C-alpha cells in the first residue's frame, strides 16, 4: 500500500461565509489535466453559469495550453487563472467545491487530496477517483457525464449543509488514510503480520 505524506493541519478550518467559486488545481500542460479543464469549460461550466450566473471558476496551474487560454478568455470575468499559489488556503476557502473531471490519466490525483485536506468537497469522475477508497456521497462525489456533473456541482452550491458535511467527512478520511498516523498504522500492521 502507498502511504502519502501530507502536511495535514487539523486546525485548518474553513470560514463560515458564502462561496461561489469552483476550483481546479493542476499542471495545465499535462495532457489529462488539459483535457479535464477543456471538458469542464466546454461542456460543464456554461450550464452551471446559466443556472447560477454568480459562479466563478478558479484555475490554479502553470503552463496553460493555447486551447485553455482561448477558452479562459471566452468566459470574460467568470474565470480566474492563477499560475502559482504559495498558499492555497485563500482559494480553498473561497471555493464551494473542487473539481477533477478527469477523462484520462492514471495514478493518484493529488488535486483531490489537496482539496479534501482543506475540507473542500470534491466532484470527480470515476477515472479521477481511480483507486481511492473514499465513500461516494459521504466523503467525495463521483459523477460521470455532463449533466450528472452539472447536477452534483449545482447541488453542492445550493445545499451548503450537504457540501459542508461532505467536506468535513472528506477531510477526516484523508487524515485517516494519509495523515501523520498513517505511516505508524501501516508500520504496525506490517509488524503484526510477521
Amino acid at each position: 500500500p502507498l502511504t502519502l505524506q501530507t502536511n495535514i493541519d487539523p486546525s485548518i478550518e474553513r470560514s463560515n461565509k458564502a462561496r461561489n467559486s469552483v476550483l481546479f488545481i493542476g499542471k495545465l500542460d499535462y495532457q489529462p489535466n488539459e483535457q479535464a479543464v477543456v471538458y469542464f469549460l466546454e461542456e460543464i461550466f456554461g450550464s452551471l453559469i446559466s443556472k447560477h450566473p454568480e459562479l466563478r471558476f478558479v484555475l490554479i496551474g502553470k503552463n496553460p495550453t493555447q486551447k485553455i487560454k482561448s477558452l479562459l478568455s471566452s468566459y470574460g470575468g467568470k474565470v480566474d487563472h492563477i499560475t502559482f499559489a504559495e498558499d492555497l488556503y485563500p482559494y480553498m476557502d473561497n471555493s464551494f467545491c473542487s473539481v477533477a473531471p478527469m477523462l484520462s490519466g492514471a495514478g493518484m490525483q493529488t488535486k483531490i487530496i489537496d482539496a479534501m485536506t482543506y475540507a473542500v468537497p470534491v466532484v470527480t469522475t470515476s477515472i479521477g477517483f481511480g483507486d481511492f477508497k473514499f465513500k461516494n456521497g459521504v466523503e467525495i462525489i463521483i459523477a460521470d457525464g455532463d449533466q450528472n456533473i452539472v447536477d452534483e456541482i449545482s447541488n453542492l452550491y445550493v445545499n451548503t449543509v450537504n457540501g459542508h458535511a461532505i467536506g468535513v467527512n472528506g477531510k477526516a478520511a484523508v487524515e485517516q488514510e494519509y495523515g501523520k498516523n498513517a505511516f505508524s498504522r501501516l508500520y504496525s500492521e506490517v509488524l503484526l503480520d510477521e
Side-chain angles (χ1 to χ4, degrees):
L2 172 69
T3 301
L4 177 69
Q5 293 298 323
T6 59
N7 295 323
I8 299 169
D9 181 353
S11 67
I12 292 175
E13 296 292 332
R14 286 170 46 94
S15 64
N16 188 17
K17 66 178 181 180
R19 296 173 175 84
N20 69 336
S21 295
V22 177
L23 179 67
F24 180 95
I25 301 172
K27 189 175 176 203
L28 301 176
D29 60 353
Y30 173 60
Q31 193 275 333
N33 285 344
E34 177 197 25
Q35 185 181 32
V37 170
V38 168
Y39 170 65
F40 184 80
L41 288 170
E42 287 183 339
E43 306 299 333
I44 309 299
F45 193 55
S47 296
L48 282 171
I49 59 176
S50 70
K51 290 173 99 170
H52 311 287
E54 66 281 11
L55 291 186
R56 302 185 62 72
F57 180 50
V58 176
L59 179 62
I60 300 176
K62 61 183 181 174
N63 303 328
T65 63
Q66 194 56 47
K67 177 74 171 174
I68 290 175
K69 287 178 187 176
S70 67
L71 285 169
L72 294 177
S73 65
S74 70
Y75 280 102
K78 293 280 185 189
V79 178
D80 297 315
H81 175 228
I82 293 88
T83 55
F84 176 76
E86 179 110 9
D87 181 8
L88 289 176
Y89 179 78
Y91 303 102
M92 295 287 187
D93 194 45
N94 285 322
S95 300
F96 71 91
C97 81
S98 180
V99 293
M102 311 308 291
L103 302 175
S104 64
M108 181 180 291
Q109 298 295 326
T110 55
K111 63 183 65 55
I112 291 173
I113 299 291
D114 288 341
M116 292 173 76
T117 298
Y118 287 89
V120 176
V122 174
V123 176
T124 189
T125 58
S126 296
I127 291 171
F129 184 73
D131 293 331
F132 284 125
K133 304 295 185 233
F134 304 124
K135 296 177 193 132
N136 185 24
V138 177
E139 299 162 341
I140 195 167
I141 301 290
I142 303 167
D144 292 306
D146 305 354
Q147 193 57 53
N148 289 335
I149 295 170
V150 169
D151 291 346
E152 293 294 354
I153 294 170
S154 184
N155 183 49
L156 288 173
Y157 182 63
V158 173
N159 187 346
T160 57
V161 172
N162 185 47
H164 177 76
I166 290 171
V168 168
N169 292 339
K171 180 178 178 180
V174 166
E175 289 170 353
Q176 175 71 31
E177 190 67 24
Y178 302 106
K180 294 176 185 174
N181 295 325
F183 181 76
S184 298
R185 187 178 69 248
L186 177 62
Y187 187 73
S188 296
E189 289 170 5
V190 169
L191 286 179
L192 292 174
D193 283 346
E194 291 182 344

